[in-house]
Amino acid sequence: MDTLQLESAAQCLQPLCQGKILQRVDEWPGGVVLHFRDEAVALLAHRAPLGLWRATGKDDQPPQSALVKQLAQRLRGFRLAELSLPWADRIVRLDFSRTQLSKREDRMSLIAECFGGRGNIVLLDDEARIRLAWRWDSLEQARPRFLPGAIYTPANDRSSASSGPLQRMAPRYRPWDEPGQAALTEVLAQRPHGCQPWWRLRRAGEEIIYPIVIPGWDVVAEIPWETAIALPAGAPPKDLAFAAALTQREAQQRKKLDNIRTDLARWEDPEHYRRMAHALFALPDAVHPGGPVHAHDYTVDPVQTLSVGVPAGKRLHQQAQWLMGQARRSERGRRQAQARLAAQSAEWERLQALRISWERGNGTMDLLQGDSPLPGTGKASGSSAPGPSGSTPFGQIWLDGFELLWGRNAKENDRLTFRLANPWDLWFHVQDLPGSHVLLRRPQRNAPVPEPVIHAAARVALQQSQCRAMSAEVDWTEVRHLQRRPGGGPGEVIYRHFHSRHVRRDD
């Protein structure tokens, strides 16, 4: 849909949904479906058919991703106040409102940028700050727009009045000659406001359904608006939960393979250590003042001279014994890394086979319930990471590429912190009050975490606690600084070397 089609669809759907409470949010390939009483509206921003559609209200509910579940939770109890296109470039805005018992009115807005591959769906608060997003921008980008808590700015900030009527149409529909543009401008000026029938048009073998009669196109038939903006029939062609689990598992598997290759490159050739040890053993044993020692390596032909570093005050043969031990450690480390690489490579090949099966239409959640661990069913061979969203027993969201997990009870807190977490992961908990353990997973040691992500994770720890205040102190530290409280129950910990951060629920 272009902007003119979106405006026409919004004019038809506005009276049907205005004032109705949002009852459910479903996922659809490339967007979401909003269910109101007796009506359903599809917002498709990523994949064809892009635009605003009238969906059929079905009783069956497909599996939901973590983002769609959060979106439904945030908009629970809200009524649709207005459906509009305040900007010219295919950006749909749905304004919601909710009146509390105290007569306070809450406002939220859902924005859909129907741009295809670079499209996005974001949820804004009453100050136009981004609270949820289908995709987040990276801080390394030149002009990031989608960051947690950032003020939303449209991609092309042009009002419909200042952009001209022709700019609301797709370029391939506009006439490029001046008489044709003048005729089209007159048609747009005479077009009545409100919901009107659409038209089936044809030109040079191409056929489209459009809300106006474009000069130069032949009119085939008049189409009722209900038919024109009806979402194409058919359920989502592929299992969305399976696709989300598989995509996240593939990302985790790539990180594992990269880490293993880094470990493998870190271990030097064990034979190099042995050659240096044999060269030192060939010299008379003595205490060395420190620095390099030039010794002959008689294990090769011709004989070579090696430069071996020896610490000050250490005997040459003692350093040679240490080098032999280092050779054994390197050999053992390389052997273990190669075994892990082979196992994880086999797991990667299995994921690719599942990807091919899913693309052929055979990917369902039933494939994730076998004896061997598949994407989203728990731990894989040699893995301690929890499964992706949709199947993990913990709460889960993604913040700018970082995975955030939290337990829902004491046992889950204990399992998350002491069984699944890495020592370098960041742990968050509200200060001096019961609450969930919130874990921010880092892909590597010393991996930098942006300040907005830390603040958002601390805010999640406050929201998942039993604190009823609007603000509180949240402590955070690395998992390696945690230990179980002696004599305490599951999930009770003591920690040191921590930081504190004051956060509010409405940050």
Side-chain angles (χ1 to χ4, degrees), residues 280-281 285-286 313-323:
L280 290 182
F281 277 130
D285 191 19
K314 202 167 188 179
R315 305 185 70 87
L316 296 181
H317 289 185
Q318 184 182 4
Q319 179 67 9
Q321 292 174 356
W322 180 86
L323 289 172

Side-chain angles (χ1 to χ4, degrees), residues 136-212:
W136 297 102
D137 286 342
S138 172
L139 292 175
E140 287 75 18
Q141 294 182 8
R143 295 180 179 178
R145 294 195 300 128
F146 302 109
L147 297 175
I151 298 292
Y152 171 75
T153 56
N156 297 320
D157 193 359
R158 303 176 299 163
S159 65
S160 299
S162 63
S163 62
L166 295 180
Q167 300 300 320
R168 291 181 290 163
M169 298 180 59
R172 64 192 184 98
Y173 300 152
R174 305 178 207 159
W176 296 102
D177 58 309
E178 293 186 2
Q181 292 183 0
L184 183 57
T185 303
E186 184 178 355
V187 170
L188 291 172
Q190 296 177 356
R191 177 171 173 259
H193 184 75
C195 186
Q196 300 294 328
W198 290 40
W199 304 89
R200 187 183 300 275
L201 308 177
R202 182 181 298 163
R203 183 186 66 178
E206 182 182 7
E207 192 170 288
I208 62 172
I209 297 178
Y210 212 69
I212 64 171

